[in-house]
Amino acid sequence: METTKTHVVHGGTLRYLKHDSATTGTPMTLSVFVPPGEGPFPVVIWLSGLTCTEDNFTTKAGAYRAAAEHGLIVVAPDTSPRGDGVADDPAYDLGQGAGFYLDATQAPWASHFRMESYVTGELIDLIDAQFPTTGARSILGHSMGGHGALTLALNHPELFQSVSAFAPISSPTRCPWGEKAFTAYLGSDDVAAWNRHDAARLIEAGAARGVYDDILIDQGDADSFLTDQLKPDLLKAAAEASGQKITIRMQPGYDHSYFFMTSFIDDHLAFHAARLKH
């Protein structure tokens, strides 16, 4: 991986990186924070939401003081493949910047939009090969990235010690963002196949039972997307139906912005650090 920028922050080192991805067939960008010390360190992977790049979390979340204190490597990849020849759409919720952390099966998306395989395969392998990791990792994200963190953790439990999310798209098979993206990326011939990428449906089916002792969700009650797109009540109902513990914290007055995330990111990193140290 090529380092494009380096900064020292809270005693650790933050790098912006770029590499040619064999999975997406495009250049991919990311940031990696390594805490002070020799390591090895466990890893936390952050997945961002619609329209974001690796830079949104890196500059706005205020995560690195807590990451340094807990001794965590923090990895923030871009949200989709990008570049000339990569399919796109004029809308903000489809195409570049809106990969939804799945592997597309439909043209023109299938050739590059393989974010599930990228995050759970190539990205993890690169980080473990080039940084002082323990091999243990957790995952969290926001909005579309919260959806991605939940579904990747539920579909690949062998890879992650814990999972949490800010304002996740809880059930994309039952909201306009998800219905639009899944129709484009996965097609409408087999709608049942969409369920593999729906956290509420996966939890209801027992995918988290016996794997994760708890799943932490923070949601602002002033979030403009709360009712139509995010629907945390579907996660709550799924947890009750399956007997899975999920801690859903409704935070009064908070919206969908990074002001919300920076207010509670320390709690999430502490949540993961406690589980990664086991």
Side-chain angles (χ1 to χ4, degrees), residues 82-99:
R82 299 177 191 268
D84 295 339
V86 177
D88 201 7
D89 188 273
Y92 75 95
D93 54 356
L94 188 67
Q96 296 184 38

Side-chain angles (χ1 to χ4, degrees), residues 84-151:
D84 295 339
V86 177
D88 201 7
D89 188 273
Y92 75 95
D93 54 356
L94 188 67
Q96 296 184 38
F100 272 82
Y101 303 102
L102 51 75
D103 289 351
T105 60
Q106 305 297 304
W109 314 102
S111 55
H112 298 297
F113 281 73
R114 304 187 66 240
M115 290 301 292
E116 178 178 5
S117 290
Y118 174 72
V119 172
T120 61
E122 186 175 12
L123 178 65
I124 287 173
D125 291 344
L126 284 168
I127 297 302
D128 284 347
Q130 299 192 30
F131 293 91
T133 76
T134 63
R137 70 192 67 82
S138 296
I139 192 166
L140 72 162
H142 167 239
S143 194
M144 178 187 71
H147 139 75
L150 291 169
T151 58

Side-chain angles (χ1 to χ4, degrees), residues 205-270:
R209 196 164 48 237
V211 179
Y212 300 112
D213 66 319
D214 193 7
I215 296 172
L216 176 61
I217 307 290
D218 271 310
Q219 173 64 63
D221 71 0
D223 191 320
S224 60
F225 302 113
L226 176 62
T227 303
D228 294 335
Q229 302 282 11
L230 305 177
K231 302 185 178 183
D233 287 348
L234 294 177
L235 276 182
K236 181 179 179 181
E240 292 172 350
S242 66
Q244 171 63 38
K245 183 180 179 182
I246 298 183
T247 299
I248 300 177
R249 308 192 306 184
M250 294 300 296
Q251 303 291 1
Y254 284 91
D255 58 21
H256 201 67
S257 72
Y258 270 87
F259 295 111
F260 168 47
M261 281 166 276
T262 195
S263 300
F264 300 102
I265 190 67
D266 288 6
D267 292 353
H268 284 249
L269 292 178

Side-chain angles (χ1 to χ4, degrees), residues 139-181:
I139 192 166
L140 72 162
H142 167 239
S143 194
M144 178 187 71
H147 139 75
L150 291 169
T151 58
L152 295 187
L154 294 168
N155 284 312
H156 303 273
E158 73 283 359
L159 296 178
F160 304 105
Q161 299 299 117
S162 54
V163 58
S164 70
F166 289 86
I169 304 174
S170 300
S171 187
T173 64
R174 290 174 280 186
C175 77
W177 277 341
E179 291 166 358
K180 178 179 179 178

